Amino acid sequence: CTLAIVCDGTGSHVGGASAATLAIRVVYDHLISHPQDPPAEALRDALERANTEVYEAARKDHRLMGMGTTAVAAVMKGDQVVIAHVGDSRAYLIHSGQAKVATRDHTMVNLFVDAELLTPEDAATHPEAHVLSRSIGTERQVEVDVSPSVQLADGDVVLLCSDGVHGVIADFELSDLEWSNPHGAIRELLEVVVEREGEDSASAVALRLGAANVECPPETPFPTTESAPEAVPIGEASQLPRRNTEGDTDVDDPDEAVDIPGGEPGGAGEIPTYVVFEEAPKLPEVRSEDLREKARAAGSRPPEAEARPRRVPALLIGLAALGIVVASLGAGWVWRQKQRDALVARAIAAARAAEAEPQAVASAPIPEQPPLAVEPVETFFSTTIPDPPKRPKHRPAKFLASPPKSREQVISVNAARSKECAAALDAVDQGMAYSPDHAPLYEVAWGCFDAAHGGPVLAAKLYEPAALADLLPHLQGDPTLRPLDKEAEKLPTWAQPAVDGLEYRLDAIVTPKRGEKMVEILSDRLGAGRFADTLGADLVLEAEIAAALAAAPSLTSEQQIWWARRLFVVSRFTASPVWAFVQSQRPDLSARVDAAMDAATHPKAANGDLRPLPSEVSTALAAGQTGERPAPKKSEVSASRAPLEPTDEDLAAP
């Protein structure tokens, strides 16, 4: 397998470097010594062991007190990857040119967001956004988050980086790098961080599956301690000099050296523990005879008299007493901690013994039951959309300005977060009326429909036509939440405009002027291919639902209206100029739409004969093919007219 790991040390300069280097070495050694363990289990155990090693190292040396480190690690075996992390160093999965965060930062503000004490927007700008809620080595135990195994496709990239990278680089900017050359992409990434003068250290590593256009990267040396001041790793200085009584260090006499265990320098089993020491200042050599002569000349007592005990000041006595009290309290606290740990250990042992003890069960034999015959249930509707083809990197060329901090921007973003996608799209339209800089917000509103409505429809598996009622809010919106205006209520049910859902954005795209503007902006922001992917997927869902309704043996009058509405929506879209754009970008999806529409408009009976379309359905199909929405129904109440005057013929009649 392949191991990639990024550790970002915390604490003092020496402590942070020590914690990060020690954690990397422990994780590496643990994985090497446990080759048969499953990657997820081995990675969790390795980080937990690293936490113990760093914690114990900090306890043994007061100079390293408080040190810790973040850690994000990935183990790739074949086309499977497992990611584990502690702290705010992140992992990204880059697939089909899109970068997605695969981890969640362990920060205090994220805890506040989970407790609904902060909104995600406030958390991003919070002054304590980088305060960690957990890290390696700061506590006796740590909880490691391990992701399920992810299957990678050819060309997928796993990117690990410290907060010095993702705090400066936006997620969408990672997608724009040329990851076919991972080494060059990492170098370009770090150059951008330097140009933007990031305030934190930046580290990143990338793994790419499959063949790559790779330039020969330099070998990355294993972390050393050369950059740590006044720190010597045991592996590089296995023998440290001992000071003699005169303050010198005897480096010539091997008998005076202190042997520090730790193996040969660079050994595979070496754990880089840091030994910090300082040289004592040398005192000038002075003979006792000189001191006596100076003392007699000054009329003072000889040096021997100076050695007599003096009266200890009261302040020193008080400090000594205070030290004794503090030491007693500390010893009591340590004793209580040991007692608590012992109780916990006994409780765990008792629980394990109880689990291992066999439980008494009834000895009466259980009669064998014949297996139940399960008849397969036919699915009324379920579908899948194929993955989009791989495309070259896309970068917007025209609509690049940042959105203004306007009221419409706040409304749009909050509505998209609340899954009120139609309201988000309307807010962007309102902002575009006075500032074209709102254009990037179309991308936010557009993605809302995929997350809020496209996903549930794709995941649905229906067994009868009546179950389609649960999907209608995702297709056309819920009129009780966003009611229609009075003119729209006069239209036939199948022709009423959508209030939200997938049909709302399909309707917006074919609306004159509004649709032309959205096609231009979204083609630039998303790329023509990705923009066509979403439109084609929406049309496939609508058309195949209509085909499923057409194949049902019997439908109620309400279900026939559902059928008519799907045909009206799809036929109205295919009559617009945007349909040619979808056909050119996704011919596979357009072929599925054509096949489903053919089945939806030519229903067959059980014997294979064609059935006539219901009148409501045929009317909706004809209206959609014109590309126009029908006119509202006229009121049933006629206007009052004045009575007519009788003519001469009327008066002459008998």
Side-chain angles (χ1 to χ4, degrees), residues 21 28 95 116-117 129 131 149 225 245 286 339 375 512 537 556 579 605 610 613 639:
T21 307
Y28 174 81
H95 172 73
E116 298 184 354
L117 300 176
V131 177
S149 180
T225 60
T245 54
V286 181
Q339 292 294 322
E375 296 182 359
T556 64
W579 175 238
L610 292 177
L613 290 176

Side-chain angles (χ1 to χ4, degrees), residues 76-409:
M76 183 185 292
K77 193 171 185 179
D79 61 351
Q80 303 288 327
V81 65
V82 175
I83 299 172
H85 82 293
V86 177
D88 62 352
S89 293
R90 287 185 186 174
Y92 290 86
L93 292 177
I94 303 175
H95 172 73
S96 297
Q98 301 298 319
K100 295 183 179 180
V101 183
T103 56
R104 190 166 190 268
D105 297 347
H106 296 146
T107 56
M108 296 303 297
V109 293
N110 276 344
L111 295 181
F112 298 154
V113 172
D114 294 340
E116 298 184 354
L117 300 176
L118 276 179
T119 63
E121 294 77 21
D122 294 338
T125 58
H126 197 275
E128 297 182 358
H130 296 290
V131 177
L132 300 178
S133 59
R134 67 178 95 155
S135 60
I136 296 289
T138 54
E139 298 288 344
R140 187 184 298 273
Q141 295 180 342
V142 69
E143 182 181 356
V144 181
D145 284 354
V146 182
S147 70
S149 180
V150 178
Q151 184 174 4
L152 302 178
D154 186 39
D156 286 358
V157 175
V158 179
L159 172 66
L160 313 180
C161 62
S162 64
D163 61 334
V165 175
H166 66 72
V168 178
I169 305 292
D171 295 354
F172 72 88
E173 292 179 287
L174 298 175
S175 306
D176 297 336
L177 297 174
E178 187 55 51
W179 291 108
S180 61
N181 179 3
H183 180 61
I186 289 291
R187 185 170 54 193
E188 182 181 353
L189 177 68
L190 297 182
E191 287 175 355
V192 173
V193 174
V194 173
E195 290 175 359
R196 296 181 181 178
E197 298 181 355
E199 298 179 355
D200 203 351
S201 57
S203 300
V205 60
L207 300 177
R208 187 178 190 272
L209 181 65
N213 178 21
V214 180
E215 61 182 75
C216 293
E219 290 188 5
T220 303
F222 209 87
T224 63
T225 60
E226 295 177 357
S227 60
E230 299 179 353
V232 179
I234 290 177
E236 295 181 9
S238 59
Q239 298 212 338
L240 299 181
R242 173 183 293 171
R243 297 185 183 86
N244 57 28
T245 54
E246 296 181 358
D248 295 334
T249 55
D250 189 351
V251 296
D252 297 327
D253 188 359
D255 296 332
E256 293 293 331
V258 181
D259 186 33
I260 306 294
E264 295 296 325
E270 170 198 350
I271 297 179
T273 304
Y274 292 97
V275 180
V276 183
F277 64 95
E278 297 176 356
E279 291 291 345
K282 287 189 176 182
L283 298 177
E285 184 178 355
V286 181
R287 292 177 298 177
S288 58
E289 290 81 5
D290 297 336
L291 293 177
R292 289 192 181 92
E293 291 294 331
K294 291 181 180 180
R296 291 191 187 97
S300 60
R301 293 178 297 177
E304 292 81 2
E306 296 293 336
R308 297 175 184 174
R310 297 180 179 179
R311 182 176 299 176
V312 181
L315 177 60
L316 295 180
I317 296 176
L319 291 176
L322 179 61
I324 293 173
V325 172
V326 172
S328 301
L329 293 176
W333 181 83
V334 172
W335 180 83
R336 286 195 299 272
Q337 288 291 106
K338 290 184 177 180
Q339 292 294 322
R340 187 191 67 176
D341 294 343
L343 289 174
V344 172
R346 285 198 294 269
I348 294 175
R352 290 177 177 173
E355 292 178 357
E357 183 178 356
Q359 302 294 326
V361 296
S363 59
I366 300 176
E368 295 184 0
Q369 298 291 336
L372 297 177
V374 179
E375 296 182 359
V377 180
E378 186 177 356
T379 303
F380 162 69
F381 168 77
S382 64
T383 189
T384 57
I385 303 295
D387 292 334
K390 293 185 178 180
R391 301 186 180 90
K393 302 288 183 181
H394 172 76
R395 297 185 181 183
K398 185 176 180 181
F399 299 97
L400 303 175
S402 300
K405 295 182 179 180
S406 62
R407 177 176 176 271
E408 287 76 14
Q409 179 190 8

Side-chain angles (χ1 to χ4, degrees), residues 621-641:
L621 178 61
Q625 290 172 345
T626 64
E628 299 292 337
R629 201 180 298 276
K633 298 177 181 178
K634 294 184 179 180
S635 175
E636 298 293 338
V637 181
S638 60
S640 59
R641 294 182 298 175

Side-chain angles (χ1 to χ4, degrees), residues 555-569:
L555 296 175
T556 64
S557 58
E558 182 183 18
Q559 292 165 1
Q560 289 182 1
I561 294 176
W562 298 346
W563 179 10
R565 182 179 180 88
R566 308 287 90 76
L567 289 181
F568 173 75
V569 169

